[in-house]
Amino acid sequence: MKLIFLGPPGAGKGTQAAVVSKTLGIPAISTGDMLRAAIKEGTEVGLKAKSFMDAGNLVPDEVIIGIVKARLQKPDCSKGFILDGVPRTLAQAQALEDEGLVFDKVISLEVSDEAIVERMSGRRVCSACGEPYHTVSKPPKAEGVCDSCGGELVHRADDKAETVRFRLEIYHTETEPLKRFYQERGLLHEVSGTGRTIEETTQAVLRTLEE
């Protein structure tokens, strides 16, 4: 099954993609994780992307598409995959379509802006393995320490309130139009992530995939 997860920053795309990935046995591919890995390694694309990400801006389409194309050629994608955080623009969506990629469903997680800002203020990410946490909804067993690898949990610059509000403006302008793009292709399925626990949202996503 080839899936796309859409939604504003902080809607829970990464968390839900990870659960669905394990359930279906297909990889969840996060461009954010790939870009952060490139930044940590100090690669050319990583350094180029860093200035955009630090300011809360979108990384240029050609950089994103190049990274995604390389990733989808790996053997673990042969039975399907989940794209998390890409496409982010109509140009990216068209580029993926032009590459001949056919998707089964596009899941849009619906969460209000107010809830996003509140939610992301508590978000933490493992600096070593990238595992996501939240101080309220998904706290680690030991404060500041990753359950999986023992790495340090950090509050990323692009998760802070002022940056989040700026990212939401960009989302509504550049990414939200993708909903219509995929709706016209009969692929869009909206799932509410407001007022639900992570587990309840997961069950709603899985029910949608079974339809």
Side-chain angles (χ1 to χ4, degrees):
M1 184 172 277
K2 298 176 181 178
L3 307 171
I4 294 173
F5 277 27
L6 294 179
K13 298 185 299 297
T15 300
Q16 295 302 326
V19 175
V20 175
S21 168
K22 292 177 183 177
T23 302
L24 299 182
I26 57 178
I29 302 170
S30 165
T31 51
D33 288 345
M34 285 189 285
L35 286 168
R36 282 187 285 274
I39 290 170
K40 188 174 182 179
E41 293 164 8
T43 64
E44 182 179 351
V45 68
L47 294 174
K48 185 177 180 181
K50 187 176 187 301
S51 61
F52 292 93
M53 294 175 69
D54 284 349
N57 291 323
L58 295 176
V59 177
D61 291 346
E62 63 270 17
V63 177
I64 297 295
I65 297 302
I67 290 174
V68 173
K69 284 174 60 179
R71 179 66 181 86
L72 295 186
Q73 291 172 1
K74 294 187 177 182
D76 63 338
C77 293
S78 61
K79 294 182 180 179
F81 51 81
I82 302 167
L83 291 185
D84 163 23
V86 65
R88 284 186 176 176
T89 65
L90 288 172
Q92 288 181 8
Q94 190 61 58
L96 292 175
E97 193 169 271
D98 292 344
E99 288 291 327
L101 287 173
V102 178
F103 299 99
D104 295 298
K105 290 187 178 182
V106 176
I107 303 296
S108 178
L109 294 176
E110 303 294 315
V111 183
S112 70
D113 286 6
E114 295 76 16
I116 290 292
V117 174
E118 182 178 351
R119 179 183 294 185
M120 291 183 76
S121 66
R123 193 157 83 166
R124 302 293 183 269
V125 179
C126 177
S127 58
C129 73
E131 182 72 17
Y133 292 88
H134 193 279
T135 55
V136 176
S137 62
K138 190 187 175 186
K141 294 176 182 176
E143 185 175 351
V145 181
C146 178
D147 295 346
S148 299
C149 74
E152 179 187 3
L153 302 187
V154 297
H155 190 197
R156 296 201 314 251
D158 57 351
D159 285 342
K160 294 180 179 178
E162 61 274 17
T163 307
V164 171
R165 291 190 181 94
F166 181 60
R167 291 172 67 198
L168 284 168
E169 290 179 14
I170 294 175
Y171 169 78
H172 291 306
T173 301
E174 299 193 23
T175 305
E176 203 162 31
L178 287 174
K179 290 167 63 176
R180 182 175 179 181
F181 180 90
Y182 287 115
Q183 187 175 42
E184 290 173 347
R185 287 152 177 76
L187 298 175
L188 185 71
H189 300 266
E190 295 184 348
V191 175
S192 175
T194 300
R196 284 173 163 167
T197 64
I198 292 174
E199 292 75 16
E200 288 170 343
T201 302
T202 298
Q203 291 306 311
V205 170
L206 292 175
R207 285 195 298 271
T208 299
L209 294 180
E210 291 171 356
E211 292 174 355

